[in-house]
Every structure is written in structure tokens, then in C-alpha cells.
Amino acid sequence: MAKVTLIQDGNPKRFNVPDGAPLMPLLQDTGALAFPCAGNHLCGKCRVKAVGKVSAITPSERALLGNADAHVRLACFLKAEGDCEVTVGNPEFAQILTESAAVRKPLDPIYTGYGAAFDIGTTTVAGYLYSDGHPFPIQTAGEPNRQASFGADVISRIEACADGGLPLQRDVIRTQISQMLGTMCKKSGIRPQDVRTITAAGNTVMLHLLAGFDPNGLAAVPFEPVSLFGNWQDWHLDGFTEAEIYLPACISAYVGADITCSILASGMLEMDGLTLLLDIGTNGEMALLDGTNLFCCSTAAGPAFEGAGISCGSGAVSGAVHMVHTDGDSMCYDVIGGGTPKSLCGSGLLDAAAAFLRLGMLDKSGLIMQGETLPIADSGLLLTQQDIRQLQLAKGAVIAGIETLLCESGIHADKVDRVLLCGGFGNFIKIPSAVQIGLLAPSLAAKTQTIGNAAGAGAGMLLQSKQAFYKSREIAQQAKTLDLSGNAYFMERFVENMLF
């Protein structure tokens, strides 16, 4: 047996593993490290410091590491050949959006005492602690989703459920929300046993993983979920055994409870005219209310907007470039927290692409006009041709989804009265950049407004309003889902919209 010492935040933990065992499963089980490409040796981001008896570096690993310092290794390649020590860098704390511009219902809670609501996104988790006597959260929390150790997108996480991976992912997310809730309670001076009800929104895959249901039916035609939820659960969180758990209703296999809650919180059902709601992230989910019918669809945008799949990409963490603009022929940028730019988050990616287009360094096909890379900062931060292609795939899927939704509804974009952007990515993007690269139609730009974390706000509304609780079920039943997987018009528009 090999003795592995895992050091995180300066704290060592010791494990015994068989000689020659891969270290990736251990790091996934402990939630110590994210594996954006699910360990498929593609992204080069699962970097650790490894000393002792570990497997020798391979040419493939060396190519991904580039000029990294000595002892820096990629965890997805590492095997324990004997006693070794692996150091994981301090986790980067992302800016997690918890605020929203949600409508409010009269206070009429479904619980007594205290309740909690969570928005479990593919990339982030937002938590809210409520009192039955106050309409707004008394405490909030946000963290990166620890299931990132199993991959950056839902497909990777579904694949990771094979060979016994489902209980691991279930336990990781349950432990995370239990710890987040414990921290919120401690800050508020509340006993855990006083939390009586918990709601948790998320896409259909995230809720399957939370509930411990096999999500494999969601990965292939005919896309059959184990459950569309809208029910009380028969399990409890560790430390909160008095709290009943309710998972809101999903609309379909690929339009989840996060959209149900976003529709509820946005107030779009009470608005006059035509309203388009967009949640642009790893999954591009959207809803259109034409005054009578509520249409929904989901596009597989991929993780580019969340920073994964981009060579220099990251979440909105300290050191990430989040805003790029031009000054004449020069590139200018803003860094979260200041200092030297280390990475590029989703909003910065859109800005950078728009800037390169304005400067003529990119053509409309997405081709880099000179050289093989596009430099953003003197620190070595740059975009590759593959990064640009990933952005084109993501934005092409989103705009094609919007156009298909409008086409199926018989509505021209000019007739849309308002566009509501929800979610973290949608809250921080600059509309002119989104228009420049073709993520939003020019006719929609002036009609677009951000409403923050509507999914989290909606999950809280279920707690604070019996009317909202029952309305969420009506929304899921009323909405009509458009399947894009075999839609010829969507595929045609997707190819066309990959162009800038």
C-alpha cells in the first residue's frame, strides 16, 4: 500500500491506496480539486504539486503543462507508485451571485421558525436562510459547486455516475449544502434544529444527483428522467434532521426546476406583452411568454461561458479578467481584485472576442487573422483558435435556441417587448459585447435587463409564500417544451450562428 499525504489549506490528511492506484478518484472523493474535463486529459487545469513516488510524466502531460514549475503535475495523470505528498492550491473563491430583482409575494410562509433555499447550479451553489417573519433572506452564501471534481458539465457528471460514482456525487452536494447551511445558521445565531424546511432549485440533472437518482436516462433519447420532482423528499441533511426537503417541479427532462423558479421570481407571468427569459450558462435555458402560451427550451451551450473549456478560462475568481475594452489599437482590461491577470472569466471572454473583432484581429468566421493566438495581457494571458471555436459553439447554440423558440411561437424578434437575463453569467455580461459577437440580436439589446439569481430567489419564494409554492407547480404543468435535439430549423440556425 502507498501512503498518500494530501495537503489542502496547509492541512495534511493521510490516506492509504494500492500501489499504482490513480489519485484522481481520491481527489474527487474528498472534493479537493476540480476536474473541468472530467479527467480526460484535455484541459490541463487540475494542477497540483506532487513529490515522492508518483508516476513519471508522460509526453501528453508535459504538453499540457507547458513551462510549469518543477513538481507541478496534472492530477488526472498521477498514480501513487509509493509514498507521496500531493499539495492542492488554496481554492479560488468565485464571486457567486445571490442577489436578484425578483418580485415579492405577500409574506405567507409554508413553515414556522426558519427555512433555507438553495440554487444548485452546475457551476455554483447559492444558499439563503429565511425567517418566517421577514420577507428577505437573513443570511446568504455562495460557493463553487464541489461536484466540479467530476466534470464541468452535466454530461461529464452523468458519465461519472457509472461504476458507483452516483453515491459520491450525491454525498458531495448534500455535504456541501449542509455545511453552507450550518455556516449561515452559525452567523445568525440559529440552532440547526430550528430550520424546518429546505427547498432546492436546479436543473433536472442536478436534482437527480441531489436526490440520489440515476441520471443516465437524461443523456440519450428518449430523455426519460426518474422524476420531475415537485415533491417532498424522504431523506434529510446531516445536522438538519428536523428540516423537511422540497424539490420544486421541473418542466421537462432538460428544462429544470431552476427555470420554473426563475419564471416565478421574474414576475413575467404578470407582465403585459411578449417576454423572453434567458438563463445563459453551461445549459442555455430559456422561456417565452407570448401573452397566452409559455414555451421553453434548453440548448447545450457547454461550459465555455463559465470558463471551462477555455485554455485560460476560469470562474469569476480573484485574478480573473472580467472586462476587456479597447483604447485605440490597444487592449485594456479590468482584473477581479486587481493585480496581475491570471485567467479570463465568461464576461471577459465575450468582451475580448468583441474587442478582437473590432480591431480586425478576428474575422467573421472566427479565424485568427495573424499568428496562432490572441494576446490579452503581457502576463501571457491569451486566447487560442480552439478557445474561439468553443465560444462560437456556445454562442451559436444559445442564439439558435432563441431563434427557434421565436419561430415555433410565430413571433419575430422585433415584437419581443423585453428580455430578462438571469443567472451569474447573464448578470455580468456587457450587452454591447453580446450583440457584437452575435449572442443577442441587435433588436433585443435595448429591451434587455438583468434580474440576478432568479432561480435562487424563486426557491426562496416557495418558502415565503404559499401562493408561490402552488404557482410553481402550475408553471411546470403549463409550460410547453420545445425539443431541439431533432429540430432541423435549430440545426440550420446553429451552423449559421456560429459566425460572428
Side-chain angles (χ1 to χ4, degrees):
M1 296 290 285
K3 296 180 180 179
V4 178
T5 301
L6 175 62
I7 301 176
Q8 185 177 21
D9 298 332
N11 300 314
K13 295 182 180 179
R14 294 172 177 83
F15 304 87
N16 293 321
V17 302
D19 288 333
L23 288 175
M24 181 175 158
L26 172 63
L27 292 165
Q28 287 179 316
D29 192 17
T30 58
L33 187 66
F35 291 88
C37 71
N40 287 312
H41 310 322
L42 296 174
C43 70
K45 294 185 178 181
C46 55
R47 301 189 177 205
V48 297
K49 180 181 179 181
V51 295
K53 296 181 179 179
V54 293
S55 53
I57 194 167
T58 66
S60 297
E61 183 183 358
R62 170 56 64 197
L64 287 168
L65 282 169
N67 297 320
D69 295 338
H71 302 304
V72 173
R73 299 292 301 274
L74 295 180
C76 62
F77 283 89
L78 280 181
K79 295 180 180 179
E81 302 292 358
D83 294 353
C84 57
E85 182 179 281
V86 177
T87 302
V88 178
N90 292 330
E92 297 177 315
F93 292 98
Q95 294 184 348
I96 310 298
L97 180 67
T98 56
E99 296 80 14
S100 77
V103 298
R104 297 291 170 183
K105 301 289 186 182
L107 188 62
D108 185 19
I110 64 171
Y111 64 97
T112 56
Y114 298 93
F118 287 88
D119 170 29
I120 303 174
T122 310
T123 306
T124 61
V125 178
Y128 307 81
L129 181 62
Y130 286 90
S131 162
D132 62 3
H134 197 279
F136 302 102
I138 60 175
Q139 200 67 242
T140 63
E143 291 183 2
N145 188 323
R146 298 177 196 173
Q147 291 171 320
S149 59
F150 298 91
D153 54 56
V154 295
I155 298 301
S156 298
R157 295 185 199 172
I158 290 173
E159 292 173 347
C161 287
D163 302 322
L166 175 58
L168 287 176
Q169 294 197 68
R170 177 199 64 200
D171 293 347
V172 162
I173 192 60
R174 289 187 185 180
T175 298
Q176 180 172 9
I177 63 177
S178 175
Q179 291 176 351
M180 289 175 67
L181 182 52
T183 299
M184 289 190 288
C185 286
K186 186 175 181 180
K187 287 181 178 179
S188 300
I190 294 169
R191 300 182 307 167
Q193 57 265 38
D194 292 332
V195 177
R196 311 300 297 191
T197 303
I198 298 170
T199 61
N203 66 48
T204 315
V205 174
M206 291 297 100
L207 293 192
H208 272 64
L209 297 177
L210 176 64
F213 294 160
D214 185 352
N216 272 294
L218 298 168
V221 175
F223 304 110
E224 293 183 349
V226 174
S227 173
L228 288 177
F229 303 100
N231 51 28
W232 296 93
Q233 300 295 291
D234 59 1
W235 51 273
H236 299 274
L237 289 178
D238 287 345
F240 295 90
T241 55
E242 300 298 316
E244 298 297 322
I245 298 171
Y246 180 80
L247 301 186
C250 299
I251 292 171
S252 70
Y254 31 87
V255 181
D258 49 352
I259 295 301
T260 303
C261 289
S262 293
I263 292 170
L264 179 69
S266 72
M268 62 185 290
L269 298 180
E270 289 79 42
M271 295 177 182
D272 295 327
L274 305 178
T275 303
L276 178 64
L277 177 121
L278 303 176
D279 186 351
I280 304 173
T282 307
N283 303 300
E285 297 173 309
M286 52 199 74
L288 175 68
L289 182 66
D290 66 4
T292 303
N293 299 302
L294 178 62
F295 297 96
C296 300
C297 71
S298 175
T299 64
F305 294 137
E306 308 287 356
I310 304 299
S311 61
C312 62
S314 72
V317 299
S318 180
V321 171
H322 70 103
M323 188 179 298
V324 178
H325 55 97
T326 55
D327 183 5
D329 293 335
S330 301
M331 297 283 288
C332 304
Y333 53 83
D334 293 334
V335 180
I336 297 174
T340 302
K342 300 176 182 178
S343 60
L344 186 70
C345 70
S347 60
L349 174 64
L350 260 65
D351 282 354
F356 288 127
L357 284 166
R358 287 195 299 272
L359 294 173
M361 300 171 72
L362 269 179
D363 70 8
K364 290 187 177 181
S365 73
L367 181 68
I368 297 176
M369 298 304 291
Q370 292 184 354
E372 298 180 353
T373 60
L374 295 165
I376 298 171
D378 293 338
S379 62
L381 198 66
L382 52 81
L383 290 174
T384 67
Q385 186 68 73
Q386 180 61 23
D387 294 333
I388 297 299
R389 297 305 184 209
Q390 290 299 312
L391 173 60
Q392 288 178 276
L393 288 169
K395 74 99 178 176
V398 170
I399 191 65
I402 294 172
E403 291 180 352
T404 306
L405 201 60
L406 291 169
C407 178
E408 291 290 328
S409 306
I411 296 170
H412 192 275
D414 293 343
K415 300 298 183 183
V416 174
D417 292 289
R418 66 191 63 83
V419 179
L420 307 178
L421 276 180
C422 58
F425 176 72
N427 194 71
F428 295 114
I429 64 173
K430 288 200 297 186
I431 301 303
S433 294
V435 173
Q436 174 110 46
I437 70 167
L439 181 61
L440 274 178
S443 62
L444 298 178
K447 304 172 183 177
T448 299
Q449 57 185 289
T450 58
I451 60 172
N453 190 340
M461 287 175 67
L462 301 188
L463 286 174
Q464 300 299 81
S465 166
K466 292 186 177 73
Q467 178 187 359
F469 181 87
Y470 292 114
K471 185 64 177 179
S472 69
R473 295 178 176 178
E474 293 179 16
I475 290 171
Q477 294 170 356
Q478 171 190 354
K480 302 176 182 179
T481 303
L482 177 62
D483 182 3
L484 301 182
S485 60
N487 189 295
Y489 182 80
F490 170 78
M491 292 307 301
E492 174 189 325
R493 299 309 304 153
F494 172 56
V495 173
E496 180 70 22
N497 282 302
M498 284 182 61
L499 298 173
F500 285 126

PDB file of all heavy atoms in Angstrom, residues 225-241:
ATOM      1  N   PRO A 225     -36.429  11.041 -17.433  1.00  0.00           N
ATOM      2  CA  PRO A 225     -35.960  11.234 -16.061  1.00  0.00           C
ATOM      3  C   PRO A 225     -36.584  10.210 -15.117  1.00  0.00           C
ATOM      4  O   PRO A 225     -37.665   9.671 -15.387  1.00  0.00           O
ATOM      5  CB  PRO A 225     -36.440  12.644 -15.734  1.00  0.00           C
ATOM      6  CG  PRO A 225     -37.689  12.794 -16.546  1.00  0.00           C
ATOM      7  CD  PRO A 225     -37.450  12.023 -17.825  1.00  0.00           C
ATOM      8  N   VAL A 226     -35.917   9.956 -14.022  1.00  0.00           N
ATOM      9  CA  VAL A 226     -36.517   9.139 -12.971  1.00  0.00           C
ATOM     10  C   VAL A 226     -37.680   9.893 -12.339  1.00  0.00           C
ATOM     11  O   VAL A 226     -38.704   9.318 -11.999  1.00  0.00           O
ATOM     12  CB  VAL A 226     -35.466   8.775 -11.905  1.00  0.00           C
ATOM     13  CG1 VAL A 226     -36.113   8.036 -10.730  1.00  0.00           C
ATOM     14  CG2 VAL A 226     -34.363   7.926 -12.519  1.00  0.00           C
ATOM     15  N   SER A 227     -37.520  11.217 -12.215  1.00  0.00           N
ATOM     16  CA  SER A 227     -38.556  12.056 -11.609  1.00  0.00           C
ATOM     17  C   SER A 227     -38.453  13.467 -12.170  1.00  0.00           C
ATOM     18  O   SER A 227     -37.369  13.902 -12.571  1.00  0.00           O
ATOM     19  CB  SER A 227     -38.386  12.098 -10.086  1.00  0.00           C
ATOM     20  OG  SER A 227     -39.276  13.025  -9.490  1.00  0.00           O
ATOM     21  N   LEU A 228     -39.575  14.153 -12.217  1.00  0.00           N
ATOM     22  CA  LEU A 228     -39.593  15.591 -12.499  1.00  0.00           C
ATOM     23  C   LEU A 228     -39.877  16.375 -11.218  1.00  0.00           C
ATOM     24  O   LEU A 228     -40.143  17.571 -11.258  1.00  0.00           O
ATOM     25  CB  LEU A 228     -40.632  15.919 -13.580  1.00  0.00           C
ATOM     26  CG  LEU A 228     -40.260  15.469 -14.997  1.00  0.00           C
ATOM     27  CD1 LEU A 228     -41.387  15.790 -15.973  1.00  0.00           C
ATOM     28  CD2 LEU A 228     -38.962  16.127 -15.464  1.00  0.00           C
ATOM     29  N   PHE A 229     -39.827  15.679 -10.079  1.00  0.00           N
ATOM     30  CA  PHE A 229     -39.885  16.274  -8.749  1.00  0.00           C
ATOM     31  C   PHE A 229     -41.183  17.048  -8.512  1.00  0.00           C
ATOM     32  O   PHE A 229     -42.219  16.587  -8.927  1.00  0.00           O
ATOM     33  CB  PHE A 229     -38.629  17.096  -8.496  1.00  0.00           C
ATOM     34  CG  PHE A 229     -37.376  16.262  -8.661  1.00  0.00           C
ATOM     35  CD1 PHE A 229     -36.632  16.321  -9.836  1.00  0.00           C
ATOM     36  CD2 PHE A 229     -36.993  15.378  -7.681  1.00  0.00           C
ATOM     37  CE1 PHE A 229     -35.504  15.521 -10.010  1.00  0.00           C
ATOM     38  CE2 PHE A 229     -35.871  14.572  -7.840  1.00  0.00           C
ATOM     39  CZ  PHE A 229     -35.128  14.655  -9.012  1.00  0.00           C
ATOM     40  N   GLY A 230     -41.125  18.157  -7.816  1.00  0.00           N
ATOM     41  CA  GLY A 230     -42.349  18.792  -7.343  1.00  0.00           C
ATOM     42  C   GLY A 230     -42.907  18.027  -6.163  1.00  0.00           C
ATOM     43  O   GLY A 230     -44.122  17.910  -6.005  1.00  0.00           O
ATOM     44  N   ASN A 231     -42.001  17.524  -5.296  1.00  0.00           N
ATOM     45  CA  ASN A 231     -42.446  16.694  -4.178  1.00  0.00           C
ATOM     46  C   ASN A 231     -41.499  16.815  -2.989  1.00  0.00           C
ATOM     47  O   ASN A 231     -40.378  17.310  -3.089  1.00  0.00           O
ATOM     48  CB  ASN A 231     -42.565  15.229  -4.610  1.00  0.00           C
ATOM     49  CG  ASN A 231     -41.307  14.711  -5.307  1.00  0.00           C
ATOM     50  OD1 ASN A 231     -40.198  15.181  -5.059  1.00  0.00           O
ATOM     51  ND2 ASN A 231     -41.477  13.753  -6.199  1.00  0.00           N
ATOM     52  N   TRP A 232     -42.003  16.340  -1.852  1.00  0.00           N
ATOM     53  CA  TRP A 232     -41.213  16.297  -0.626  1.00  0.00           C
ATOM     54  C   TRP A 232     -40.344  15.050  -0.634  1.00  0.00           C
ATOM     55  O   TRP A 232     -40.764  13.990  -1.097  1.00  0.00           O
ATOM     56  CB  TRP A 232     -42.122  16.313   0.596  1.00  0.00           C
ATOM     57  CG  TRP A 232     -42.914  17.576   0.719  1.00  0.00           C
ATOM     58  CD1 TRP A 232     -44.171  17.815   0.259  1.00  0.00           C
ATOM     59  CD2 TRP A 232     -42.480  18.797   1.324  1.00  0.00           C
ATOM     60  NE1 TRP A 232     -44.567  19.104   0.525  1.00  0.00           N
ATOM     61  CE2 TRP A 232     -43.540  19.739   1.189  1.00  0.00           C
ATOM     62  CE3 TRP A 232     -41.311  19.202   1.973  1.00  0.00           C
ATOM     63  CZ2 TRP A 232     -43.459  21.034   1.681  1.00  0.00           C
ATOM     64  CZ3 TRP A 232     -41.227  20.496   2.464  1.00  0.00           C
ATOM     65  CH2 TRP A 232     -42.289  21.390   2.317  1.00  0.00           C
ATOM     66  N   GLN A 233     -39.142  15.178  -0.108  1.00  0.00           N
ATOM     67  CA  GLN A 233     -38.178  14.080  -0.118  1.00  0.00           C
ATOM     68  C   GLN A 233     -38.247  13.265   1.170  1.00  0.00           C
ATOM     69  O   GLN A 233     -38.729  13.753   2.205  1.00  0.00           O
ATOM     70  CB  GLN A 233     -36.768  14.649  -0.300  1.00  0.00           C
ATOM     71  CG  GLN A 233     -36.595  15.434  -1.605  1.00  0.00           C
ATOM     72  CD  GLN A 233     -36.752  14.559  -2.825  1.00  0.00           C
ATOM     73  OE1 GLN A 233     -35.924  13.701  -3.097  1.00  0.00           O
ATOM     74  NE2 GLN A 233     -37.828  14.754  -3.570  1.00  0.00           N
ATOM     75  N   ASP A 234     -37.756  12.029   1.086  1.00  0.00           N
ATOM     76  CA  ASP A 234     -37.770  11.148   2.256  1.00  0.00           C
ATOM     77  C   ASP A 234     -36.387  11.034   2.895  1.00  0.00           C
ATOM     78  O   ASP A 234     -36.114  10.083   3.628  1.00  0.00           O
ATOM     79  CB  ASP A 234     -38.296   9.759   1.874  1.00  0.00           C
ATOM     80  CG  ASP A 234     -37.456   9.089   0.793  1.00  0.00           C
ATOM     81  OD1 ASP A 234     -36.443   9.686   0.350  1.00  0.00           O
ATOM     82  OD2 ASP A 234     -37.817   7.971   0.380  1.00  0.00           O
ATOM     83  N   TRP A 235     -35.516  11.980   2.621  1.00  0.00           N
ATOM     84  CA  TRP A 235     -34.189  11.998   3.222  1.00  0.00           C
ATOM     85  C   TRP A 235     -33.942  13.362   3.872  1.00  0.00           C
ATOM     86  O   TRP A 235     -34.682  14.303   3.641  1.00  0.00           O
ATOM     87  CB  TRP A 235     -33.098  11.707   2.180  1.00  0.00           C
ATOM     88  CG  TRP A 235     -33.180  12.550   0.933  1.00  0.00           C
ATOM     89  CD1 TRP A 235     -33.906  12.289  -0.189  1.00  0.00           C
ATOM     90  CD2 TRP A 235     -32.542  13.814   0.698  1.00  0.00           C
ATOM     91  NE1 TRP A 235     -33.762  13.304  -1.117  1.00  0.00           N
ATOM     92  CE2 TRP A 235     -32.921  14.244  -0.599  1.00  0.00           C
ATOM     93  CE3 TRP A 235     -31.685  14.617   1.440  1.00  0.00           C
ATOM     94  CZ2 TRP A 235     -32.471  15.455  -1.138  1.00  0.00           C
ATOM     95  CZ3 TRP A 235     -31.234  15.820   0.905  1.00  0.00           C
ATOM     96  CH2 TRP A 235     -31.623  16.218  -0.385  1.00  0.00           C
ATOM     97  N   HIS A 236     -32.907  13.426   4.717  1.00  0.00           N
ATOM     98  CA  HIS A 236     -32.583  14.656   5.432  1.00  0.00           C
ATOM     99  C   HIS A 236     -31.101  14.963   5.292  1.00  0.00           C
ATOM    100  O   HIS A 236     -30.291  14.084   4.997  1.00  0.00           O
ATOM    101  CB  HIS A 236     -32.942  14.531   6.919  1.00  0.00           C
ATOM    102  CG  HIS A 236     -34.396  14.291   7.165  1.00  0.00           C
ATOM    103  ND1 HIS A 236     -35.314  15.320   7.269  1.00  0.00           N
ATOM    104  CD2 HIS A 236     -35.096  13.141   7.325  1.00  0.00           C
ATOM    105  CE1 HIS A 236     -36.516  14.810   7.489  1.00  0.00           C
ATOM    106  NE2 HIS A 236     -36.418  13.487   7.523  1.00  0.00           N
ATOM    107  N   LEU A 237     -30.761  16.216   5.513  1.00  0.00           N
ATOM    108  CA  LEU A 237     -29.359  16.617   5.516  1.00  0.00           C
ATOM    109  C   LEU A 237     -28.738  16.313   6.875  1.00  0.00           C
ATOM    110  O   LEU A 237     -29.386  16.462   7.917  1.00  0.00           O
ATOM    111  CB  LEU A 237     -29.226  18.120   5.251  1.00  0.00           C
ATOM    112  CG  LEU A 237     -29.538  18.623   3.844  1.00  0.00           C
ATOM    113  CD1 LEU A 237     -29.401  20.151   3.817  1.00  0.00           C
ATOM    114  CD2 LEU A 237     -28.618  17.998   2.806  1.00  0.00           C
ATOM    115  N   ASP A 238     -27.476  15.897   6.867  1.00  0.00           N
ATOM    116  CA  ASP A 238     -26.757  15.691   8.121  1.00  0.00           C
ATOM    117  C   ASP A 238     -26.763  16.981   8.929  1.00  0.00           C
ATOM    118  O   ASP A 238     -26.450  18.060   8.416  1.00  0.00           O
ATOM    119  CB  ASP A 238     -25.311  15.268   7.839  1.00  0.00           C
ATOM    120  CG  ASP A 238     -25.214  13.842   7.331  1.00  0.00           C
ATOM    121  OD1 ASP A 238     -26.202  13.097   7.456  1.00  0.00           O
ATOM    122  OD2 ASP A 238     -24.142  13.477   6.802  1.00  0.00           O
ATOM    123  N   GLY A 239     -27.145  16.863  10.186  1.00  0.00           N
ATOM    124  CA  GLY A 239     -27.170  18.019  11.063  1.00  0.00           C
ATOM    125  C   GLY A 239     -28.468  18.790  11.031  1.00  0.00           C
ATOM    126  O   GLY A 239     -28.673  19.707  11.845  1.00  0.00           O
ATOM    127  N   PHE A 240     -29.354  18.432  10.097  1.00  0.00           N
ATOM    128  CA  PHE A 240     -30.633  19.157   9.963  1.00  0.00           C
ATOM    129  C   PHE A 240     -31.782  18.151   9.816  1.00  0.00           C
ATOM    130  O   PHE A 240     -32.574  18.219   8.892  1.00  0.00           O
ATOM    131  CB  PHE A 240     -30.576  20.107   8.762  1.00  0.00           C
ATOM    132  CG  PHE A 240     -29.586  21.209   8.916  1.00  0.00           C
ATOM    133  CD1 PHE A 240     -28.274  21.047   8.490  1.00  0.00           C
ATOM    134  CD2 PHE A 240     -29.940  22.408   9.524  1.00  0.00           C
ATOM    135  CE1 PHE A 240     -27.337  22.053   8.642  1.00  0.00           C
ATOM    136  CE2 PHE A 240     -29.010  23.427   9.691  1.00  0.00           C
ATOM    137  CZ  PHE A 240     -27.697  23.241   9.247  1.00  0.00           C
ATOM    138  N   THR A 241     -31.832  17.230  10.751  1.00  0.00           N
ATOM    139  CA  THR A 241     -32.806  16.140  10.670  1.00  0.00           C
ATOM    140  C   THR A 241     -34.239  16.604  10.887  1.00  0.00           C
ATOM    141  O   THR A 241     -35.179  15.862  10.594  1.00  0.00           O
ATOM    142  CB  THR A 241     -32.453  15.053  11.694  1.00  0.00           C
ATOM    143  OG1 THR A 241     -32.361  15.649  12.996  1.00  0.00           O
ATOM    144  CG2 THR A 241     -31.115  14.406  11.343  1.00  0.00           C
TER     145      THR A 241
END
